[in-house]
């Protein structure tokens, strides 16, 4: 067991849809409670007693008999569809949630960055939360002080260091939370995909820091929908499906298996309720669709047809320059291309609030045959922030039916490359 950092046996977690789950009280909760006044504690107790649990509904197993071992120094990607159980696994390993059955052994100090809002106490300042988190990790005050300036510089929140974190924006909170989790020398670092929202430059900074942590011989668990990040950063990947491990092995092989698993294509996604639509304070995504050359929503499109990617979104606050954009990824987790809204009518202009639809046309004879996945983003420019970053939001398949001229000519074998353009050729006979 000396080389094992994480071990789970029969790990299971049961939820009841419609019921209010009682949170698992961690050591952090216990320690931060001491910072609250008795009046606040009584008030919170009263509010808790006044809130009744919702009526129980259907049981739902978020994890079911999950067994795994991760060695010290491994960098492991956890992948799978939304609702597969990835985040629940990290919450149990981070001692935020307790399992229904089974157990998890953790050998080493854990730094975790899961949901924005976990890990800090809102009434304490940024400075106080840094020292508190270090103390929970078992670090001496002198060791925390030695890393303090590095944490603050990385998080870029020096002006707000002595402000209670409840007044931080979600971006500031996330920057400080990641800086603390990555710099206080955890032996095991767990990161859920909270990095998908926020400043793009800081996302790159975080990924670089995670690579550095992994190369330093520490264990990293990285939950992500970004297959390119997983294959580049992780040696090993674990595919979770319906609460169970479906595949475990080299990252490239598992990612390829996941992307090529024969999942049903989903050419259209809508969010009719704006309150639950993905997005931030400035904008929310309302729909993404794939249409064929006839304008029909389609999950199977011939190479001879145009393809339209359509995004509907709602801008909540006026006065910002928006750049709706999307990326198209293939089954191997490779980004084929990305495209931003360059409509001259709105390019560089600040948009008023309201509902918008943006459409982009992919030309005929461009994409290669296979299953393709679309990531949809809503981004503001100057300053650049990501309001929404939805991975694999829709998918479709491109086929070459052979009904017309294509890049294949008369060849029926496997075409190389990531695109399949029909280029103009001219051939002349020289000996005539």
């Amino acid at each position: 067991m000396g080389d094992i950092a994480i071990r789970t046996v029969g790990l299971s977690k049961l939820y009841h849809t419609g019921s209010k789950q009682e949170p698992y009280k961690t050591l952090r909760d216990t320690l931060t409670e001491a910072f609250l006044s008795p009046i606040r504690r009584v008030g919170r107790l009263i509010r808790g007693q006044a809130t009744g649990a919702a009526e129980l509904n259907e049981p739902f197993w978020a994890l079911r008999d999950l067994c795994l071992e991760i060695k010290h120094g491994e960098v492991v990607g956890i992948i799978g569809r939304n609702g597969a159980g990835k985040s629940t696994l990290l919450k149990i390993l981070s001692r935020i949630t307790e399992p229904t059955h089974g157990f998890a052994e953790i050998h080493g100090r854990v730094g975790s960055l899961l949901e924005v809002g976990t890990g800090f106490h809102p009434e304490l300042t940024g400075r106080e939360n840094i020292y508190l988190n270090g103390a929970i990790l078992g670090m001496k005050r002198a060791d925390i002080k030695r890393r303090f300036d590095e944490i603050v510089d990385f998080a870029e929140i020096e002006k707000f260091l002595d402000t209670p974190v409840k007044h931080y924006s979600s971006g500031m909170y996330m920057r400080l939370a990641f800086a603390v989790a990555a710099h206080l020398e955890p032996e095991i670092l767990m990161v859920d995909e909270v990095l998908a929202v926020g400043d793009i430059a800081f996302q790159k900074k975080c990924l670089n820091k995670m690579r550095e942590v992994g190369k330093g011989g520490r264990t990293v668990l990285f939950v992500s929908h970004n297959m390119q990040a997983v294959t580049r950063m992780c040696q090993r990947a674990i595919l979770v499906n319906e609460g169970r491990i479906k595949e475990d092995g080299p990252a490239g092989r598992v990612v390829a298996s996941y992307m090529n698993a024969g999942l049903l294509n989903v050419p259209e996604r809508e969010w009719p309720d704006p309150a639950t639509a993905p997005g931030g304070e400035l904008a929310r995504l309302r729909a993404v669709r794939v249409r064929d050359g006839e304008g029909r929503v389609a999950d199977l499109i011939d190479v001879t047809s145009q393809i339209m990617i359509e995004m509907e979104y709602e801008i909540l606050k006026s006065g910002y320059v928006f750049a709706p954009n999307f990326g198209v990824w293939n089954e191997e987790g490779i980004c084929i291309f990305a495209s931003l809204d360059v409509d001259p009518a709105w390019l560089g202009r600040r948009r008023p609030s309201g509902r918008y639809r943006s459409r982009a046309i992919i030309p005929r004879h461009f994409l290669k045959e296979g299953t393709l996945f679309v990531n949809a983003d809503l981004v503001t420019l100057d300053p650049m922030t990501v309001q929404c970053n939805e991975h694999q939001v829709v998918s479709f398949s491109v086929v070459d039916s052979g009904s017309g001229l294509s890049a294949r000519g008369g060849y029926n074998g496997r075409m190389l490359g990531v695109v399949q353009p029909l280029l103009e050729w001219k051939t002349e006979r020289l000996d005539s």
Side-chain angles (χ1 to χ4, degrees), residues 105-121:
E105 295 177 354
I106 310 294
H107 302 276
R109 295 192 306 271
V110 175
S112 60
L113 180 59
L114 308 182
E115 298 171 345
V116 173
T118 61
F120 287 165
H121 196 285

Side-chain angles (χ1 to χ4, degrees), residues 283-285 311 313 323-325 376-380 385-389:
R284 290 191 176 274
L285 188 64
M311 298 172 58
Y313 49 96
N325 64 91
D377 299 349
L378 293 175
V379 179
T380 65
T385 62
V386 178
Q387 294 297 303
C388 174
N389 181 221

Side-chain angles (χ1 to χ4, degrees), residues 151-162:
I151 291 171
V152 175
D153 290 343
F154 190 95
E156 303 168 5
I157 52 110
E158 185 175 4
K159 292 182 180 179
F160 305 95
L161 192 56
D162 294 306

Side-chain angles (χ1 to χ4, degrees), residues 167-183:
H167 298 303
Y168 285 15
S169 67
S170 59
M172 291 167 58
Y173 196 108
M174 185 200 70
R175 290 200 301 272
L176 181 58
F178 183 89
V180 168
H183 286 82

Side-chain angles (χ1 to χ4, degrees), residues 165-215:
V165 297
K166 67 180 180 181
H167 298 303
Y168 285 15
S169 67
S170 59
M172 291 167 58
Y173 196 108
M174 185 200 70
R175 290 200 301 272
L176 181 58
F178 183 89
V180 168
H183 286 82
L184 287 182
E185 300 180 347
E187 293 163 315
I188 302 170
L189 177 62
M190 303 183 191
V191 181
D192 205 341
E193 191 142 49
V194 293
L195 302 181
V197 178
D199 181 81
I200 291 176
F202 190 77
Q203 291 179 33
K204 294 180 179 178
K205 193 174 176 181
C206 290
L207 288 172
N208 289 335
K209 183 62 181 177
M210 289 168 64
R211 291 190 189 99
E212 179 186 322
V213 169
K215 290 178 181 178

Side-chain angles (χ1 to χ4, degrees), residues 8 10 46 49 136 182 188 199 207 211 215 283 290 307 404 407 424:
T8 71
I46 294 172
Q49 292 173 341
I136 292 170
I188 302 170
D199 181 81
L207 288 172
R211 291 190 189 99
K215 290 178 181 178
V290 179
I307 301 170
E424 182 178 348

Side-chain angles (χ1 to χ4, degrees), residues 330-346:
N330 67 12
E331 299 163 352
E332 298 174 350
I334 297 172
C335 182
I336 299 173
F337 73 93
S339 182
L340 284 80
D341 184 356
V342 292
D343 185 341
W346 291 105

